[in-house]
Amino acid sequence: MAVTVLDCSDIDQYLGKPISSSRIREPISNNDIRRWAQGMHYPNLLHYDPTFAQKSRHGRIVAQQSFPVAIDDGMGTSPACVGFIADSHLLFGGDEWWFEDQPVFGGDWIHNERIPFDYVVKETKLAGPTCFQRGDNFYRNQHGQLIAKQRSTAIRYNAAAGAANVDTSEFDDPIWTRDDLAALEIRKAGWIRMLRQLGHRERWWDDVAISDTLPERVFGPHSIASFTTEWRSWIINTWGAVQVRKFDMESFGFSPDMAGCENDPDMLIENPELTDGAYIGPSRGHLFPEFARTIGMPRGYGYGGAMGSWVTDFLSGWAGEHGMVVHSIANYRGPALTGDITIQTAEVVDKTVDTEGRHLIHVKHLMRNQKGTTMATGTAEIRLPKKPG
C-alpha cells in the first residue's frame, strides 16, 4: 500500500508541555528490583542477592541503573507518542540517557515527569513517510532528586504500509540444535564470569586503554516466553500496582487491531485482562506473530524499552559497583526477533577528565544478532574510579 502523506500536524500542540503521568501505588520493593534484573536477563548479584549486596559499598540490594524506566507506563515512549496520526503504529527508535549519581533502593518512590520534545518526518524502507518523534522523561525520587533523564525516540508510521513491506523470509525462527545451545551457554557464561570476578572490586580508570574491547555479552535465544518475562517486569503490568492515567489509544490513531484498552484504568476495574497489552492492544504484536505482521514485523519481537536497558546493564555491569554510566545513546536499527540471540560488544575510543573532575571512559557499543545483523549502535561515557596518588 503506497502512502504519500503522513499528517503529523496534531503533534504540534503538545510540544514542550508536560503530559499526564501514571504513579506507582506502593514504594519500590526489593522484589521489584529483582524482577527487573531477571526480566532484563541481567545476573548481577548486586540486584537480587542480599548476601552479596550486604558486602557491597551500598550495604544492601540496589536497583540497576536501568531500573527507573520500570515504573513507567509506556517504557519511556509516552512523551514521544502524542498527537493523532491516522492508521498508525509505533516502534521504539532509540533513546538517550543522562544519569545522576542517585541510587534507588527498596522503599524509594519514583515519579516520571514527561514532556514532548520534537519530531521530523523522513522516508524509510519500513513504511515510506515516517515520523521520528522525541520526548523527555525526568525520573525523580520522593525527595525530588533527579535520578535520570531519558530522551526517547518513537517511530510512527502507517501500519498498513509496514505490513506491505514485511520481510517474509524472516517468518520462521532459526533452528538451534542441542549442541548449538550447549555451546551458546558456554559463550554466555563468559560475561557472567566477568561480573563474578570483578565482584566488589574497583575497575580502575587508569587500567583501561584506548582500543580496549569490553567482554562480549550474549543472551538468548529470545522466545515468546522470554519476551513475556520482560513484559511482566514492568511494574504497571501487575494488576493494580499503578494508578494509571486515563487516555484513549484511538486518540493516537492506532489501527483498530492494535488499539484496545491497554492500561485503561476504568477497564482495569471491570476486566483487567482486556487492559493487558500482552493479549490485546498495541503491544500484542510482540507476542503474537499474526499481529506482528500487520505492522511490519515478521514474527514476535522484543521491546525497545528492554533493548535500552540491555545497553545500560551491559556497560554498567562492566563498570562495576564503583563506576556508573554517565551518558549513553542507543539508536535501534533492527528488532530482537524470537529465535535470535543478542550479542553486545563495545570498544574504548577515548579517556577524559571532565570539568567536574570525573574520570570517563568513552565507548562505542554495538548490538547484533547471530547473523551479524545490526540491532543497535551508540556511544556512552562511563565514570570509573581513579587509583589514589
Side-chain angles (χ1 to χ4, degrees):
M1 178 179 177
V3 178
T4 57
V5 176
L6 195 72
D7 184 0
C8 304
S9 58
D10 191 51
I11 297 173
D12 294 332
Q13 64 178 308
Y14 298 98
L15 297 181
K17 303 172 184 177
I19 63 172
S20 60
S21 298
S22 302
R23 289 180 177 266
I24 55 175
R25 281 176 155 157
E26 289 93 23
I28 301 301
S29 71
N30 280 348
N31 275 349
D32 293 326
I33 296 169
R34 289 186 175 104
R35 189 175 295 111
W36 186 250
Q38 182 176 351
M40 297 302 108
H41 322 285
Y42 183 41
N44 190 326
L45 294 167
L46 277 173
H47 313 307
Y48 65 90
D49 184 76
T51 302
F52 181 87
Q54 285 168 5
K55 298 177 182 178
S56 74
R57 74 182 186 90
H58 300 289
R60 52 179 166 157
I61 287 175
V62 61
Q64 56 268 54
Q65 280 194 250
S66 66
F67 181 80
V69 77
I71 66 99
D72 191 60
D73 67 20
M75 302 186 181
T77 63
S78 294
C81 182
V82 294
F84 179 83
I85 302 177
D87 301 315
S88 63
H89 192 68
L90 176 149
L91 295 174
F92 210 144
D95 50 15
E96 184 171 8
W97 284 90
W98 295 263
F99 292 99
E100 301 294 324
D101 191 2
Q102 188 62 57
V104 174
F105 301 101
D108 284 347
W109 294 79
I110 302 177
H111 174 62
N112 182 17
E113 181 186 22
R114 307 190 280 205
I115 304 176
F117 184 65
D118 66 6
Y119 71 96
V120 64
V121 178
K122 300 179 181 179
E123 285 286 327
T124 66
K125 292 181 180 180
L126 171 67
T130 301
C131 179
F132 291 81
Q133 185 175 353
R134 296 192 296 176
D136 292 339
N137 300 273
F138 299 86
Y139 300 97
R140 293 184 173 90
N141 65 16
Q142 65 272 24
H143 306 296
Q145 297 165 316
L146 184 65
I147 300 166
K149 173 185 173 181
Q150 176 193 24
R151 175 165 290 169
S152 294
T153 300
I155 301 172
R156 302 180 68 186
Y157 60 96
N158 181 272
N165 291 324
V166 67
D167 186 353
T168 58
S169 69
E170 289 281 5
F171 277 12
D172 296 326
D173 283 14
I175 296 173
W176 297 85
T177 67
R178 292 188 180 185
D179 287 343
D180 291 337
L181 293 174
L184 185 59
E185 289 304 319
I186 294 172
R187 190 176 175 189
K188 289 159 66 173
W191 193 77
I192 299 173
R193 188 163 54 249
M194 179 275 297
L195 289 177
R196 303 293 182 258
Q197 289 173 345
L198 183 62
H200 299 302
R201 295 183 295 109
E202 295 89 349
R203 186 177 300 284
W204 298 110
W205 180 86
D206 315 65
D207 294 336
V208 179
I210 295 173
S211 78
D212 281 356
T213 56
L214 276 59
E216 72 166 8
R217 181 190 182 202
V218 180
F219 56 100
H222 305 293
S223 65
I224 297 300
S226 69
F227 292 154
T228 302
T229 300
E230 293 170 19
W231 176 256
R232 294 293 171 219
S233 64
W234 263 271
I235 294 173
I236 193 168
N237 294 324
T238 298
W239 294 350
V242 173
Q243 183 61 57
V244 186
R245 64 188 178 122
K246 179 67 176 178
F247 61 95
D248 182 1
M249 287 292 177
E250 293 183 357
S251 69
F252 303 134
F254 288 169
S255 57
D257 277 349
M258 308 299 275
C261 299
E262 184 172 320
N263 292 335
D264 183 281
D266 298 326
M267 184 58 71
L268 186 65
I269 302 301
E270 184 174 340
N271 184 355
E273 287 198 348
L274 293 181
T275 73
D276 194 322
Y279 309 136
I280 300 172
S283 299
R284 72 199 309 186
H286 292 284
L287 305 182
F288 295 93
E290 173 189 354
F291 291 101
R293 291 163 189 161
T294 67
I295 52 90
M297 292 291 105
R299 57 185 192 268
Y301 64 102
Y303 301 93
M307 287 179 68
S309 297
W310 299 346
V311 171
T312 304
D313 294 342
F314 171 54
L315 301 174
S316 61
W318 174 80
E321 66 182 68
H322 300 276
M324 64 173 290
V325 179
V326 172
H327 172 247
S328 67
I329 298 172
N331 300 304
Y332 306 150
R333 304 300 187 195
L337 297 173
T338 56
D340 287 349
I341 65 171
T342 292
I343 304 162
Q344 292 181 269
T345 56
E347 179 184 4
V348 177
V349 295
D350 202 2
K351 295 175 62 175
T352 63
V353 180
D354 70 6
T355 56
E356 299 177 37
R358 299 179 298 184
H359 290 73
L360 303 179
I361 300 296
H362 302 249
V363 302
K364 287 185 177 179
H365 64 84
L366 172 67
M367 188 183 297
R368 56 191 172 88
N369 66 17
Q370 73 282 357
K371 296 187 295 185
T373 303
T374 297
M375 299 166 58
T377 61
T379 60
E381 294 83 58
I382 305 166
R383 192 199 72 201
L384 292 182
K386 183 173 181 358
K387 289 181 178 179

